[in-house]
Amino acid sequence: MRVLGIETSCDETAAAVVEGGFTVRAHVISSQADLHATFGGVVPEIASRRHVEVITAVVEEALAKAGTSLEEIEGIAVTNRPGLIGSLLVGVSMAKGLAFGRGLPLVGVHHLEGHIFASFVAAGGPVVPAVALIASGGHTELFYVRAPHDYQVMGRRLDDAAGEAFDKGARAVGLEAGGGAALDQLARQGNPQAVPFPRARTDHPLDFSFSGLKTALLRFLETDGGRTPVADVAASYQQAIVDVLVEHALQAAHAAEVDAVLVGGGVAANSRLQAQLRTVATARNLRVAFPPPDLCTDNAAMIAAAGHSLLERGVRHGFDLETKAREPLTTATFAPACQVEVG
Ligand code: KG4
Ligand code: ZN
């Protein structure tokens, strides 16, 4: 089955053609990052307007790059939750129009399920059972993935998401654009041990809290008065985020008794996270699946892949498919995590 995927949940307009579930024929991303840069965050109204302007061209480009046309598409998958409502509506309306016009099955996909499927795409098929760490600008969550579409929550963010911590940290150290990717770049020249930033502890050992770290960075910059090289500050700050992500992912794998860790979301592109998790995972005989960088951040290939799997299972949505600003991927909680020991 050849599925067209559409993703417009935030500030990326994306379309992709995926075949047989995990083969990406083409995927196109039109980023609005520069449009929002001066505002210090995504402006919802600007985001949805830009989606409207570019979505048709992005879909056409994906079809052309895949060497196919709508006549050969057999299903339409679209992110319908969670995300910015005005942005989601653009993608969902486009998907409904295409499905209606060509009489194709339509399926709405949860954005976080898409990020899990990005790892499956990278691996060429489902890697289960596993734990999945999804860390992006809006999410930092750990899931037990028993099988495709069967998820339980192991840990969640209590305040800032990891990507948000990266973005705020990047701005605090003077990087005007580029967010986490720019901080990652700067940190490569720095000493990650230079500043002892805190690693937040939470009541539930697998939850995440990064707001205290951000405050610690601001306080440090104020009192340091520019004495510590900025690359050292960036590397130390990044290390504090990465240590927590790696430790929690390993604890989750231990608690769930799985030997695979999937990582997704924009923060999965972080070079330090990738290197550190790979090193410790190898030492513990764990398999780690990182999507390639262009499938870590928001894209439509992951949506087409997840949609393909849902369509294969007979899931179909009508033209009354809703958009939702918030919705957990699952309400099921992985119980043994409550008694997790630091492994
Ligand atoms: O998944 P994504 O594209 O969008 C959301 O769903 O939020 O993630 C974007 C986030 C941003 O916060 C960005 O700063 C972060 O991912 N990010 C990174 C890196 N590349 C993107 N964070 C750390 N290191 C990177 N290399
Ligand atoms: Zn995302």
Side-chain angles (χ1 to χ4, degrees):
M1 194 183 350
R2 207 174 264 191
V3 173
L4 173 70
I6 296 175
E7 151 70 42
T8 61
S9 66
C10 191
D11 63 340
E12 258 101 31
T13 319
V17 177
V18 167
E19 211 169 82
F22 303 101
T23 305
V24 183
R25 300 244 66 104
H27 85 103
V28 175
I29 304 172
S30 169
S31 175
Q32 310 176 356
D34 48 342
L35 262 188
H36 303 278
T38 49
F39 300 101
V42 176
V43 183
E45 182 66 20
I46 295 177
S48 42
R49 285 174 190 223
R50 177 51 68 93
H51 286 309
V52 171
E53 285 163 14
V54 303
I55 183 122
T56 308
V58 167
V59 168
E60 280 177 343
E61 191 182 334
L63 290 169
K65 276 197 174 156
T68 189
S69 65
L70 275 178
E71 285 73 36
E72 292 177 329
I73 295 296
E74 291 153 280
I76 310 275
V78 63
T79 309
N80 72 319
R81 66 201 195 280
L84 302 171
I85 287 293
S87 289
L88 287 168
L89 279 170
V90 178
V92 168
S93 301
M94 181 75 177
K96 284 181 183 175
L98 292 172
F100 180 72
R102 301 226 47 92
L104 293 171
L106 169 74
V107 67
V109 175
H110 193 291
H111 183 79
L112 290 189
E113 173 153 62
H115 278 303
I116 291 173
F117 267 76
S119 294
F120 295 168
V121 168
V127 180
V128 287
V131 295
L133 169 68
I134 306 298
S136 69
H139 300 276
T140 307
E141 276 153 76
L142 267 167
F143 296 103
Y144 171 54
V145 184
R146 182 178 290 111
H149 316 297
D150 184 352
Y151 314 110
Q152 289 178 286
V153 181
M154 299 190 77
R156 50 170 66 86
R157 73 186 175 103
L158 303 179
D159 42 57
D160 293 356
E164 206 176 339
F166 268 107
D167 292 336
K168 288 176 177 171
R171 275 199 298 278
V173 300
L175 299 165
E176 310 236 311
L183 192 115
D184 184 357
Q185 200 64 38
L186 174 63
R188 282 172 209 214
Q189 294 121 47
N191 170 11
Q193 263 86 52
V195 188
F197 286 122
R199 274 67 170 158
R201 299 275 157 231
T202 47
D203 289 346
H204 185 295
L206 297 180
D207 283 345
F208 300 93
S209 168
F210 291 112
S211 68
L213 173 63
K214 175 197 63 193
T215 311
L217 171 66
L218 294 175
R219 207 171 295 140
F220 174 81
L221 290 170
E222 241 173 59
T223 50
D224 185 59
R227 282 190 293 275
T228 308
V230 68
D232 286 354
V233 179
S236 304
Y237 182 78
Q238 169 174 273
Q239 191 61 49
I241 301 174
V242 166
D243 279 349
V244 172
L245 295 176
V246 169
E247 191 187 315
H248 287 203
L250 292 180
Q251 285 182 18
H254 179 74
E257 297 177 357
V258 298
D259 57 12
V261 178
L262 317 175
V263 193
V267 175
N270 185 263
S271 62
R272 185 76 194 164
L273 174 65
Q274 295 210 3
Q276 195 164 318
L277 195 51
R278 284 210 169 95
T279 305
V280 289
T282 306
R284 294 183 188 205
N285 284 324
L286 283 172
R287 177 177 176 189
V288 187
F290 278 103
D294 60 336
L295 296 185
C296 284
T297 46
D298 289 349
N299 66 87
M302 66 185 196
I303 302 304
H308 181 283
S309 176
L310 289 165
L311 288 167
E312 253 187 358
R313 285 164 168 74
V315 180
R316 302 281 185 277
H317 291 131
F319 294 122
D320 56 352
L321 175 68
E322 283 181 66
T323 53
K324 289 182 185 166
R326 292 175 189 280
E327 193 183 62
L329 178 57
T330 170
T331 49
T333 305
F334 188 81
C338 304
Q339 293 107 42
V340 67
E341 293 293 321
V342 179

